[in-house]
Amino acid sequence: MTSIRQPTEPKPEIVECAIVELLEIAQRQGITPADFIQLLDWGMQISDFLAAMTAHSCWVCGHEVSLETCKVDEQGRAVHEACLFARMKMETPSSRASVLAGVSLLKPEIIH
């Protein structure tokens, strides 16, 4: 008979660091530690929480946008490239130049 190895317990200091980091993420979103614990008690999975905290929407169309592939407009907001160009088509030539001047091809910095 093959014995099944039980997973080893994580080191307490690693668990403590992970908890502190989760609570800091929640706090930046306006969620108190007590509310975060209540969400866990109600069955929220930590992976779902982290996904929700890192999901971003295109300010033009409202759909989710990948931070790896999005563009950043002149106000630092994430936007799909297609949405950016569709918006530019509707603007005047002079305002279009200012939009292009403000677009960054780098990943956006998330400011909380």
Side-chain angles (χ1 to χ4, degrees), residues 11-49:
K11 294 181 180 180
E13 58 271 11
I14 294 174
V15 173
E16 184 179 338
C17 286
I19 291 170
V20 167
E21 189 167 336
L22 282 169
L23 291 174
E24 287 173 352
I25 292 169
Q27 188 173 20
R28 286 194 299 265
Q29 298 298 323
I31 302 170
T32 67
D35 289 341
F36 182 74
I37 298 302
Q38 185 66 50
L39 290 170
L40 291 175
D41 286 345
W42 288 339
M44 178 191 69
Q45 299 293 312
I46 291 176
S47 58
D48 293 337
F49 170 77

Side-chain angles (χ1 to χ4, degrees), residues 2 19 27 49 66 70 75 88 90 100-101 108:
T2 306
I19 291 170
Q27 188 173 20
F49 170 77
S66 164
C70 74
Q75 278 87 37
M88 287 175 28
M90 297 186 312
L100 278 177

Side-chain angles (χ1 to χ4, degrees), residues 2 5 13 31 35 44 53 56 64 71-72 74 76-77 80 82 87 89 93 98 101 105-106 111:
T2 306
R5 279 185 59 192
E13 58 271 11
I31 302 170
D35 289 341
M44 178 191 69
M53 295 300 106
H56 298 280
E64 189 172 326
K71 303 298 181 218
V72 180
E74 63 275 13
R77 300 174 294 186
H80 294 109
R87 177 180 152 228
K89 283 182 179 180
S98 67
L105 299 179
L106 302 175
I111 301 171

